[in-house]
């Protein structure tokens, strides 16, 4: 887990231009995960840590032209890659930090976050900030296009007991941050934890 934004920006800036080419087959997994958020036409949704914006087109399709789609990321190079890919047409891109979202409290219906939790400097505080921005009953999807074991193998490392994405760690983390976990899937083909914002 990163402790400062400089490291996160440097990491993703160096990889932004080739990011989509490195993971060319992830599109269907993103679309399937978005489908599980239960979005409706007219909903307001945030892609937190949107990167190159791969979730923005399915998010736009889910909320329709009357909905609002925001993509926020800390790394300008990732947002620039999203623009080059034309994904800015699916949602409004903002350079922003999930620690201080530039949105009103309870103004969103849902948050989609792909690969975000591993990069949060203060996970409980950051998840609480996401909860602040979402209406009671709104949803959160913590997603990755491959599961924890497959990701660890890809990176040449072992899963540690302190992995925030482990169900036994994530459930209480979410509960202490204003969320109630509704479902948890950790398979080679995907990781998806869905939570609902408490009242």
């Amino acid at each position: 887990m990163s402790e400062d934004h400089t490291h996160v920006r440097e990491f993703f800036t160096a990889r932004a231009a080739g990011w989509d080419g490195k993971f060319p087959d992830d599109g269907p997994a993103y679309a399937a995960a978005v489908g599980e958020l239960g979005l409706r036409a007219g909903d307001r949704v945030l892609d937190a840590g949107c990167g190159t914006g791969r979730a923005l087109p399915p998010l736009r399709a889910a909320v329709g032209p009357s909905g609002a789609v925001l993509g926020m990321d800390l790394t300008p190079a990732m947002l620039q890659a999203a623009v080059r890919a034309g994904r800015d047409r699916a949602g409004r891109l903002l350079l922003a930090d999930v620690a201080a979202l530039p949105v009103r409290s309870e103004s969103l219906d849902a948050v989609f976050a792909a690969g975000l939790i591993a990069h949060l400097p203060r996970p409980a505080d950051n998840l609480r900030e996401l909860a602040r921005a979402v209406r009671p009953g709104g949803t959160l999807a913590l997603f990755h296009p491959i599961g924890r074991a497959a990701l660890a193998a890809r990176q040449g490392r072992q899963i540690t007991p302190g992995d925030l994405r482990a169900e036994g760690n994530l459930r209480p983390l979410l509960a202490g941050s204003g969320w109630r976990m509704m479902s948890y899937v950790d398979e080679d083909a995907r990781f998806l934890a869905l939570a609902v914002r408490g009242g």
Side-chain angles (χ1 to χ4, degrees):
M1 181 170 39
S2 173
E3 289 299 327
D4 77 81
H5 296 333
T6 301
H7 172 75
V8 172
R9 283 195 186 102
E10 288 175 353
F11 179 90
F12 285 107
T13 296
R15 292 161 177 80
W19 191 259
D20 286 350
K22 190 173 178 181
F23 309 107
D25 303 320
D26 287 350
Y30 274 76
V34 166
E36 296 202 32
L37 263 177
L39 294 168
R40 297 167 299 189
D43 276 354
R44 298 150 304 181
V45 61
L46 166 66
D47 184 357
C50 68
T52 62
R54 289 179 291 174
L56 297 179
L59 289 170
R60 170 56 65 195
V63 304
S66 64
V69 177
L70 298 175
M72 295 185 192
D73 203 277
L74 270 177
T75 307
M78 292 299 258
L79 295 174
Q80 291 160 7
V83 171
R84 284 194 301 275
R87 297 184 185 123
D88 57 321
R89 294 190 294 271
R92 182 175 173 210
L93 298 176
L94 297 171
L95 183 65
D97 183 353
V98 297
L101 297 172
V103 297
R104 293 186 325 274
S105 295
E106 301 185 5
S107 63
L108 301 172
D109 296 291
V111 173
F112 184 86
L116 178 70
I117 195 165
H119 300 287
L120 296 177
R122 294 181 310 282
D125 291 342
N126 301 145
L127 289 168
R128 198 170 292 114
E129 172 65 359
L130 292 176
R132 178 197 64 78
V134 174
R135 64 169 173 79
T139 51
L140 167 68
L142 298 175
F143 167 73
H144 200 283
I146 62 174
R148 293 186 311 126
L151 181 61
R154 177 190 285 176
Q155 296 173 343
R157 60 175 178 82
Q158 298 291 318
I159 296 176
T160 65
D163 184 347
L164 291 179
R165 292 161 292 190
E167 185 173 10
N169 296 331
L170 186 57
R171 187 178 296 276
L173 175 64
L174 287 167
S177 304
W179 300 97
R180 181 167 47 95
M181 188 188 290
M182 300 298 291
S183 64
Y184 179 92
V185 176
D186 182 15
E187 304 166 337
D188 281 352
R190 74 169 176 168
F191 174 91
L192 181 63
L194 294 174
V196 172
R197 158 81 150 78

